Amino acid sequence: MRYEFILVEHIPDVARSAFPELEESTVAIGTTGSVMYGDVIDAPHLHGILDRFQDLGFTLLELRRLPD
Amino acid sequence: MDSGAVSTTGDRADRTGDRTGARPTGVGRAATRTSPKHRVPGLTGRTVRRSTIRAPAPLISATDRGAGTMVLVAGSVGTGKTTLLADWAGELERRGDLIAWASLDREDNDPQVMAETLLGAVRAAALPTAPWLADEPDQSAVGAVGQALVTRLLEIAATAARHVWVVLDDLHLVRDPRCLDLVELLVRWAPAHLHVIIGTRSDPGLHLARLRLEERLVEVREHDLRFSLDDTRELLSRHDLQLEDHQVRRLQELTEGWAAGVALAAVSLARGRDVDEFLGEFARSDRAMSGYLVEEVLASLDAATRDFLLSTSVLEDLTADLGAAVTGRDDAGALLDALSADNAMVTVDRVGTPTYRYHVLLRSYLGAMLEAGSVRGAREVHARAAQWYAAHDVPGQALRHAEAAGDLDLMSDVIHQHALHLLLDGRASEVEAAVRTVRTDDPVMTAVAALASLDLSDPEAARRQLASLVTGPGSWFTEPEPNDLTGELTDDLDVDPSALPLERLLSVGLRWLAFVGKDTVGHPDGDATDSATDSATDSGPTSADRLAKGLAAELNSTYSTWSEGHPVPDRAALRALADDVRPDASSRAHGPGHGLAVGRVPHAEADLMLLDQLTSGDVLLGSGRFGEARAAYASALSTARAAGHQLPALQAMVGMASVAAAREDLAEMSTWSERVLVESQATPWAGSPRLLPAQVLAGWAAFNVLDDATARGRNEAALELLGVVLSMMQEQARGGAEAGAPAGEMSTAARGLEQLARLARMLEANLDLIEGAGQPGVRQDVVDRVMAGARGVGEVSMTSVLAVGELSRAHRVVLLAGFPRLAREVEQLCEGLPGAAAEVATMAAVRHLRAGEDSAARAAVAPVLASGLPTDLPTDPSPDLKADPAADPAHRPVEDSVKAQGDAAAALPERPRLRVAVTAHLVAAVVAHRNAQPTVAHEELVAALTLAAPERALRMVLEVAPEVADVLAAGAGRFGELEPFVGELNVQARALADLPAEPLLDVALSARELSLLRELPSLLTVAEIAQARAVSRNTVKTQLRSLFQKLGVGSRRDAVAAARRLGLL
C-alpha cells in the first residue's frame, strides 16, 4: 500500500531522517507544506508514521492511499 | 488460586499455578507478589494456538553480535496480539526461558512509572532463579532514570543465567519519549541472552530500521496475524461449532482473517444463529465489520445483561462489588462470571479478588453506545464509579471518574476528602491536575494546590498560591493562633470533621515552604518599606510581606508547639512503633484499581495531622532542634502506622534516622535507617530520593560496626541516586530565573542534600582507603579528596555542628592515611568554629597518640576529661559559617523565635558528644597502657566502653589507635556486663587490618632537603638560594637532585606539587 501525506509545515532536513521509508515530493504545496509518500506495510506502520509526525510537531493536513 | 478459572488447557493451568505458587506469601513479602501487570494473561480453552506463528528463537545474527533479539508484533485492535504473546510466553517457559511480562497501560506514560514497571517485570521474572532478589532492596534502580535503570535491569537479567524475554504488551499506550527512550536503551544494550518482545498497535518510534539492518529484528505484522483457514476452523470447533468447509471459507473471507471478527462471529453462532443466514446478513451488511459483529453479539444477550455491559463499560477493571455499585445489581458477580465463561470478549483475572476486563473492542463500542444513548447516562455511571472509588479509598480513580462525569462538585468533594491522602501516597501530580481542572477560587483548593506544588518541588508556585491566599479577605494572619497545630479539633466540634480546615492547611503549607523554599522568603523589613513607597495607592501590606510574617509566625508556633508538652518517647516505645507494621499497611496496593478490596473510611483529619507532624519534624530538624524533631517524627510515624500510609511512615523513619545521626545516636540511626531499607524494598518507594538520607545513613551504620562490604554496597547505591538527584536539581536551577544564584540562596532542602552528598563521599573515601591501604597512590587520592572537602567547609553555608562533624570525619581519614601534617591543618580549620574546642583537643590528642607523643596526647585530653563529660555543641540553628545571619533578613524570623523560645530549648537535656568522650577516655587509656599504668588504663577503657557499648560503636573504639586492642586484651575477664561488647570488639580487632602509619616516602628527607624544599615555591633562583644559605651553587644543585630523586620527580615545579600532595609543604 502506498500512502501520501500532506503536511502543513515544510519538513526541515534534520527531521527527514526520521522518515527513512518515505520520499518527499518536489512539487510544492502552497508556499510551505511538504508532500511525503511511500510504502506503508500495514495499519500499525501507518499509525507509527502518524505518531512520528505528531512527535515532531507537524500538522497533518491530508492523508490518502495511492493507487498501487 | 482457583485453577477452575482456566478451563481446558491443562498445561496452561499448571503453569499458572506454578507462577503464583512459587511466590512467597508472608506479610512482609506481600508486596513482592507479582502484580497483575506482570502476570501473563491467562488463556482460555477457546484460545486458538497459532501453529503458523511459532514462538521466536534468538536470532543467530544477533547472538553473533553478542546482542539480544527484538520481536515486534504489530497489528490493529483485535488481531490477537496479546493472546499470541501469552501463548508464546508459555512455549518459551517450557523451553526453560524466563518471561518478564508487562501489560502496559496509560499510567506507564510517565518515566517514573515506566521505570517501575520494567523493573517489576524483570525482577518478577528473575525471582525464581535468584530468590535473593526478594531480600535485596533495589536501592539504585527505581528512581533512577535512563542508563542507571537499564544497567540495573541488565544486571538482574544477568543473574538469571537463562534467556530472558521482556514482553511489553500494548506499547502503543506509551507515547512519552522519555519512556520510549528506556525501551530504546534496553533494546540497544540487550546482551545475547536478553530479548525484547513488543506488542503494539502502532510502530514504536524505536530505530526499527537500524535493528533490521543489524538483523536483530523479528517482525510479526498484521498480515502474519491473520487467521488462516485452519485457525478459523479450530476456533469454531473450540466453540463446539461444526461448519461446512465452504461456510468456514466464507467466514474466513468475510472477516479477512481478523481474529476478533472470527471470535465474535463464533459467539453469535454458538448462540444458535443459523450459519447460512448469519453469513448472508454479514455479507450484505454495509456497516463496519466490527460494528456488525459486536451488535450481533449484543443482540444475542438479554436486555438486562446488555444494560449491565453498557453501564459498566466505563470501567477498565471491574470487580463484582464495583459492578454491583455502578449498576445496582446484586447479581453482578454471577453475571460477570457467566459472561467470562462463554464470551471471548470478557476475561477474568482470578488471583486475589476476581477482576474482570472487557475486550477493548467491545469496550469501545459499548462506550460509544453509552454516550450516544444519553450523555447523562454515561455521566451517571462515571459519578457512581467515582463515589465507589472514593468510598473505597482509591482516590486516583475517584478523581478520574469524577472528571469524566463532568461533576466538578464531586471532584471538589474528592479533593477535599482525599487530596492529602493522595499527597501522602506520593501522587501530588494527580492532585495538582485535578485542582487545575476544578479551577475554583475555593481557598481550601488553593491551599491543597500549594501543598501539591511543594511536594512536586515547585516552591515558587506554592509561594504564589499561598501568597494569593493571604491577601484574600479575612486572611487569618491578623490573628495567628499558636496552639492550633496540635492536631486536635477540640474547639470546632460543629465543623464537618472530614472537611479540611483552611488554617491548618495554610500553616502546614507555610511550614513546608519554610523548609523547601529558598531562604529569601520575602524580606519582612525591606519589603515593608518598599511596598510603602511602591504602592501608595494600596493601603494594605503586600502579599510577600504578609507571607513572610505568616512564615515567621508559623515557625514560632511550630517551635512552641513541639517544645512544650510533647514527651519524647523512649527507645523501647519507639522500637515497638517500628515493629508495628500492620499487615494491611504493607500490602496496600498502590496501583489504582488493584486495591479495590480494601475499604477504609476517609481520614482527612488524620491525613492532615500526619502532614502537620511530618513538616514539623522537617522544620525542627532543619533548625537544629533535634529533640523536638524526634518527637514530631515519632508522632508522625505512629499516625502513619495507624492510617496505613506507607510512604509517610517511611519518611518519618528517615526523619528519625536523620535526627539520630545529628545527635550521634548510632544505635537509633542504624535501627531507623535499616528499617527504612527493609520496609521500602519492593515498594514503589525503594530508592526514591525521598528516602536518600536513610540510604546514606544505613551505609554509615554498617561502617560503624565494621561491616565494610555492606557499607560499600549501600553507599554506592546512595551515591548513584545522589548523582541523579543532584543533576536533576542542577537542571532545575538552570531552568530557574536567576542564573548563578549565590550559594547562600540554597534552600534548606538543598543544603540537606549537600550534607548528604558530603557524608556519602566521606564514607566512600573511608572505604577506598581501607581497600587500597597498601597503595600510596590510593591513599594520596583519598586524602586529596577529603582535604578538598574539608577546605571547602568554610565555603558553603553549613551550621557549625555539621561543619565540626565533617572536619572530625576528615581528620580521622587523613590521620589514618598517615598524613599528620594535613591532620593538623584540619584541626586548624576547626579551631575557629564555635563550640569545637573539645573536638579539636581530641583530634590533636589522637594525632599525638599516633605519633608516639604520649605527654602531648595526655595534655590535650586532660581538659576534656577534667570538665566531666563534654556537653553537646550549642543547638543554635542560625550561625551559618558564611552567611552572616544578621545581614540576611530572611533569618530574622527564625532568630527572633529562637530568642523567644531559646530558654525552652536550652533546658532540654542534650546528649553528650559521644565520640569526643569515648575518644578522650581511650587516648588516656592508651597513654597509661604505654606507660605501664594498667589500672588507669583499664579504668579509662571501661569509662569509654560504658559510653560506646549501648551504641555498639565498634569502629569508634578500635580506630583510635591499634593499641586499644592490647588494652582490651590486658583487661580480659574484668569487664562485667560490658563483656559481650568487648567480645565483639576482640573479634573485630583481629579482623581489622589497621593501616600501618608508615611514611609514604621510601627514604626520609634530610633536614637540609626539607628546608630546601620550603624554598622551592618561592621565585628565588638556585643562585639566590645558594647565596642565602652561604653555600655553593653546586651544593644546592646536588641537594636538589637528591630531593627530586626521593620525591620521584624531574622538575622544581613537580617537586613542589609532590610535596604539597604529601603534606610536606
Side-chain angles (χ1 to χ4, degrees), chain A residues 20 41-45 47-48 51-52 54-55, chain B residues 74-76 175 200-203 209 212 221-222:
Chain A
I41 308 168
D42 53 14
H45 185 200
H47 286 278
D51 286 349
R52 267 179 280 160
Q54 211 176 43
D55 290 345
Chain B
S76 307
R175 292 289 316 278
T200 181
R201 268 190 239 160
S202 63
D203 285 10
R212 260 182 221 122
R221 306 208 60 102
E222 209 156 79

Side-chain angles (χ1 to χ4, degrees), chain B residues 564-711:
Chain B
E564 57 193 48
H566 273 273
V568 180
D570 64 8
R571 271 193 193 176
L574 284 173
R575 290 259 159 78
L577 199 54
D579 293 329
D580 179 26
V581 187
R582 312 222 166 167
D584 68 319
S586 62
S587 63
R588 258 163 53 83
H590 286 269
H594 301 312
L596 308 185
V598 196
R600 282 199 304 118
V601 200
H603 286 303
E605 172 62 23
D607 291 344
L608 181 55
M609 190 158 83
L610 183 49
L611 263 183
D612 197 340
Q613 290 157 343
L614 267 182
T615 50
S616 293
D618 291 347
V619 166
L620 291 165
L621 174 61
S623 47
R625 294 162 168 264
F626 302 133
E628 292 127 300
R630 185 160 170 265
Y633 283 130
S635 317
L637 181 55
S638 73
T639 313
R641 289 274 197 245
H645 280 303
Q646 197 172 28
L647 178 61
L650 289 169
Q651 283 174 306
M653 288 193 279
V654 168
M656 297 295 283
S658 307
V659 170
R663 288 158 54 104
E664 261 199 341
D665 188 337
L666 301 187
E668 242 186 57
M669 179 182 101
S670 52
T671 307
W672 291 117
S673 57
E674 283 166 7
R675 184 93 218 170
V676 171
L677 293 195
V678 169
E679 263 187 53
S680 67
Q681 63 159 293
T683 70
W685 316 115
S688 152
R690 293 167 200 259
L691 308 185
L692 190 52
Q695 305 222 357
V696 175
L697 295 177
W700 274 98
F703 182 70
N704 285 336
V705 296
L706 300 150
D707 183 354
D708 294 343
T710 307

Side-chain angles (χ1 to χ4, degrees), chain B residues 546-563:
Chain B
R546 301 191 70 163
L547 194 60
K549 287 220 174 91
L551 264 170
E554 180 47 44
L555 287 174
N556 267 324
S557 68
T558 306
Y559 293 152
S560 68
T561 303
W562 290 96
S563 61

